[in-house]
Amino acid sequence: PPAGRKRVMSEAIKSGDTIAVDYTGKFESGDVFDSSEGRQPLTFTVDTGMLIKGFDQAVIGMKKGESKTVTIPPEIGYGPRDEEAMVEIPRTQFPQDMALTEGLELQLQNPAGQPVPARIASINETNVTMDVNHFLAGKTLVFDITIAETGLEPPAGSCGTKSGGCDSGCCGSCKCN
């Protein structure tokens, strides 16, 4: 290459690099929970906390065009399930015409006003118990990853921006909440 130009193609990905990946996230059973198929590749900056630690670790050392499958245990994924992560909400806080059923996924807000995904764990006469564990907590995840681009500009902002992060549709590896 001409003097002063980097040969990005052959450079291995390192911490701090901004890259784009195509991915499919599966459970150990093979059931797919998320994929970039049919969407833009996921753009993120490696090792900055935008994605789970296991995903960051998996791409370090890879090169553009390279593919691999990685298995990520909960410890470097979404952590273990916390059986204490339950929130009791009085039934009166829900609209009367809302059909409440166990397993229903809703969006709550934390004290800072940020969205927190939650799932109805149980319902009784007076309260609705919400499970606020991330739906992937406690699960071993399998990702098929292909490096689509390297040497990109960091996405504007971080998680939650249109150019990457949570609005990219990647629920399997982004850890905004």
Side-chain angles (χ1 to χ4, degrees):
R5 287 199 44 146
K6 292 201 289 187
R7 289 185 51 206
V8 176
M9 281 284 292
S10 63
E11 281 191 20
I13 294 167
K14 62 191 178 312
S15 181
D17 287 354
T18 298
I19 64 171
V21 299
D22 286 307
Y23 68 92
T24 298
K26 300 178 282 207
F27 297 114
E28 289 177 292
S29 64
D31 292 339
V32 173
F33 61 82
D34 192 21
S35 176
S36 64
E37 193 172 323
R39 299 197 307 249
Q40 292 292 317
L42 173 67
T43 301
F44 68 101
T45 303
V46 179
D47 239 3
T48 58
M50 288 175 76
L51 301 190
I52 57 174
K53 191 172 196 66
F55 203 99
D56 276 336
Q57 289 176 356
V59 299
I60 291 174
M62 291 180 73
K63 297 178 180 170
K64 183 176 175 178
E66 197 175 330
S67 297
K68 74 157 85 161
T69 299
V70 295
T71 299
I72 300 175
E75 298 75 41
I76 56 172
Y78 286 89
R81 265 190 64 74
D82 178 2
E83 295 308 325
E84 304 289 306
M86 299 290 173
V87 177
E88 293 273 322
I89 300 174
R91 275 187 90 136
T92 55
Q93 299 266 330
F94 293 89
Q96 279 191 323
D97 59 348
M98 184 180 217
L100 299 174
T101 57
E102 286 185 20
L104 180 68
E105 293 184 25
L106 300 170
Q107 195 94 311
L108 302 179
Q109 282 189 340
N110 69 13
Q114 297 168 312
V116 176
R119 189 180 315 248
I120 295 179
S122 64
I123 305 166
N124 65 28
E125 293 295 314
T126 56
N127 289 317
V128 177
T129 303
M130 303 294 297
D131 179 348
V132 294
N133 279 291
H134 189 283
F135 82 103
L136 296 172
K139 300 204 182 321
T140 296
L141 310 174
V142 179
F143 282 96
D144 296 323
I145 302 170
T146 300
I147 307 301
E149 290 294 333
T150 59
L152 300 173
E153 286 296 310
S158 60
C159 279
T161 65
K162 289 288 179 199
S163 58
C166 283
D167 287 345
S168 67
C170 176
C171 68
S173 50
C174 189
K175 60 172 204 177
C176 302
N177 35 28

